[in-house]
Amino acid sequence: MSMEFNELIAGAKNNDKKAWKMLVNNYSRRIYSYALSFSGSREFAEEAAQEVFFRVYKNIEKIKPVKNDFERYIYRIAKNYCIDNYRKNKKVIIIESKDYLVSGWDPDFTLKDLVWKGINRLNPQDRNLIILREIEGFSYEEIAKMEKISIGTVKSRLNRVRSKLADIILSLEGGNNE
Amino acid sequence: MNKQDLKQKIIEMVDNNRYEEAKKIVGEDKKLKEFLRIQTMLKDTLPDFKMDIIPAKVENKILQEIYDKIDNEKEFNIFEFIAGSLSFLKLNYSSAISIILILLIFGFSYVKPNNDKLSYYSYKVKANVQYLMDKVSGAKDILVFMFDKNIEKVYENLINKEKKNKEERKWQIKTEKNRRGSLYYYHLFLG
């Protein structure tokens, strides 16, 4: 049975387990994916997903039944959780590329591993932006709303991050680094 | 156009899948060629990092946590709580009733319409119990007890009044470390 988003939120507010199940089914994988991209640790991604839904549960009364608002809200919690943990204990976010990237044989592993190591060298804010845009596939407009900045700022920051990332990867490859 | 501007142009073109135009801008410049190669590689590789699956055990764990909270969010029974609290004091019947009535007046005047918010409710009851007990008792020793989120008593200890702050601090630390399963601290002064 499918439910409209507003029905989902209304159900969740009434402690309807079916509504909660759908909410978790629909959104937990996205948060898990984001946190996994951010940290590279499955364990950390699991904790982040749990934390996000713990906060959603706690604040469900205040949540408006607007899908886009809700998405922005959960990604914002996830981002804050990831960045806070990064600041508190950088050791938590030691990225194990092998754990993250391959569960079997991957012909692009070397390439991906290189990109992954590059992402790992970005600061958390930059990492957040590149993940939202290039991995999670959010539009500039959505990111702007999520980050509460203008679209122009998102674009220019992202361009800077892409440029920085290219330099990092080139240096990792042993190439010239301007 | 300086090299930095050219790089920005390349990034924008790759972002919009305008690879041929980007190649023209790059020309024979070796460093820009490398830059374009990396940007193209990023564009091709990064989307593969998206994982649209979550292990079933993780999803189930999240759901179970929520279900537990839903099941535990039963109405908080103030009568049981106060009666339980006052039984430690071994008060006579009329005193106990008087205190219960006073507590009820205090308690209900504080409780907001959304009284399903257990922590809020619990906090207020704690404040009232503490306040009244401070007033009515001789306050030589303190009975400390902790409740978990289900208002189940998890700890009880009789301590000297002097050690009150130390005990509070100890439980404050434990509660902070145990964020999900909040613990509630209470103490009563005993005559």
Side-chain angles (χ1 to χ4, degrees):
Chain A
M1 188 191 82
S2 68
M3 270 188 195
E4 292 296 325
F5 186 77
N6 58 347
E7 290 176 314
L8 269 186
I9 295 296
K13 284 182 183 179
N14 287 324
N15 281 340
D16 174 5
K17 288 184 180 177
K18 209 183 283 174
W20 274 107
K21 189 172 175 17
M22 289 181 78
L23 212 54
V24 172
N25 283 343
N26 290 348
Y27 293 99
S28 61
R29 66 194 60 196
R30 297 179 65 179
I31 296 304
Y32 184 81
S33 170
Y34 170 86
L36 189 56
S37 299
F38 194 98
S39 68
S41 156
R42 289 174 200 279
E43 200 184 335
F44 180 80
E46 179 180 334
E47 280 172 25
Q50 274 179 280
E51 179 66 22
V52 167
F53 278 93
F54 169 68
R55 298 228 195 134
V56 169
Y57 180 84
K58 240 175 103 181
N59 297 314
I60 191 71
E61 289 299 333
K62 295 178 204 157
I63 291 175
K64 290 177 194 163
V66 181
K67 199 175 175 184
N68 290 345
D69 285 1
F70 179 76
E71 284 180 5
R72 282 197 288 276
Y73 173 67
I74 57 173
Y75 272 97
R76 213 176 293 137
I77 301 173
K79 174 197 146 188
N80 290 340
Y81 183 79
C82 289
I83 292 180
D84 284 353
N85 273 278
Y86 181 88
R87 283 184 186 141
K88 273 185 212 159
N89 183 8
K90 288 188 182 183
K91 284 178 188 166
V92 172
I93 321 281
I94 292 296
I95 298 177
E96 294 294 338
S97 57
K98 279 179 192 157
D99 177 41
Y100 175 41
L101 292 176
V102 281
S103 53
W105 184 75
D106 184 345
D108 294 330
F109 175 74
T110 314
L111 199 65
K112 286 180 183 170
D113 193 42
L114 183 67
V115 173
W116 185 246
K117 281 175 182 156
I119 293 176
N120 193 17
R121 280 169 170 74
L122 293 173
N123 70 45
Q125 295 290 352
D126 290 349
R127 197 185 297 180
N128 168 57
L129 280 181
I130 206 91
I131 291 169
L132 289 176
R133 172 68 187 168
E134 306 293 355
I135 301 178
E136 294 301 310
F138 281 102
S139 68
Y140 289 115
E141 193 186 348
E142 285 168 321
I143 297 172
K145 282 181 182 165
M146 215 179 279
E147 297 291 313
K148 295 178 179 169
I149 49 179
S150 71
I151 296 175
T153 309
V154 173
K155 282 184 178 174
S156 65
R157 278 193 197 170
L158 262 166
N159 284 355
R160 229 175 15 242
V161 178
R162 286 174 182 130
S163 188
K164 202 191 284 182
L165 191 52
D167 288 343
I168 294 169
I169 290 172
L170 280 169
S171 76
L172 285 172
E173 279 185 333
N176 292 330
N177 189 5
E178 277 191 337
Chain B
M1 216 184 260
N2 66 30
K3 208 161 250 186
Q4 205 50 46
D5 292 338
L6 285 173
K7 281 184 176 179
Q8 290 303 309
K9 267 265 181 256
I10 292 167
I11 288 171
E12 279 166 27
M13 285 172 174
V14 171
D15 192 33
N16 294 307
N17 301 317
R18 289 155 54 197
Y19 296 103
E20 289 308 314
E21 287 175 63
K23 276 182 191 168
K24 278 179 195 166
I25 286 183
V26 166
E28 290 307 310
D29 188 302
K30 207 175 162 190
K31 283 183 179 171
L32 286 181
K33 266 188 181 174
E34 281 292 274
F35 187 78
L36 174 60
R37 179 180 66 81
I38 299 293
Q39 289 304 330
T40 309
M41 181 175 91
L42 288 174
K43 179 86 176 165
D44 292 343
T45 314
L46 284 171
D48 290 349
F49 285 78
K50 188 174 170 82
M51 291 227 164
D52 234 355
I53 48 166
I54 182 169
K57 73 171 176 100
V58 178
E59 200 173 90
N60 289 338
K61 207 168 163 185
I62 295 169
L63 270 174
Q64 199 49 55
E65 205 172 75
I66 291 170
Y67 290 169
D68 286 350
K69 285 182 196 304
I70 290 171
D71 292 339
N72 289 334
E73 228 181 60
K74 58 193 175 192
E75 194 71 19
F76 180 59
N77 190 330
I78 195 167
F79 289 98
E80 278 179 20
F81 172 74
I82 294 170
S85 304
L86 294 179
S87 66
F88 295 113
L89 298 173
K90 297 185 169 54
L91 293 173
N92 66 36
Y93 182 74
S94 58
S95 305
I97 291 294
S98 308
I99 291 177
I100 285 173
L101 285 174
I102 294 166
L103 283 171
L104 282 177
I105 293 163
F106 265 80
F108 284 115
S109 66
Y110 275 122
V111 174
K112 287 180 175 175
N114 59 344
N115 62 355
D116 56 337
K117 300 288 178 217
L118 188 58
S119 57
Y120 173 81
Y121 199 98
S122 185
Y123 171 76
K124 287 299 177 191
V125 172
K126 170 193 147 187
N128 293 332
V129 169
Q130 189 178 321
Y131 172 79
L132 285 167
M133 291 306 107
D134 284 356
K135 289 281 180 195
V136 300
S137 74
K140 284 176 188 166
D141 292 321
I142 303 169
L143 186 66
V144 171
F145 42 112
M146 296 294 300
F147 295 90
D148 66 12
K149 60 184 178 181
N150 302 323
I151 315 299
E152 295 292 334
K153 191 169 70 184
V154 292
Y155 173 81
E156 179 185 326
N157 193 16
L158 192 65
I159 59 164
N160 189 285
K161 192 182 170 187
E162 307 294 315
K163 294 180 181 168
K164 175 174 162 281
N165 290 343
K166 199 176 161 191
E167 187 78 2
E168 277 179 356
R169 181 71 196 136
K170 183 177 99 185
W171 284 102
Q172 194 186 347
I173 292 166
K174 285 194 184 209
T175 307
E176 280 165 5
K177 282 185 180 167
N178 184 24
R179 211 147 45 94
R180 290 219 177 85
S182 302
L183 294 167
Y184 300 104
Y185 174 90
Y186 300 84
H187 64 243
L188 296 178
F189 287 91
L190 302 178

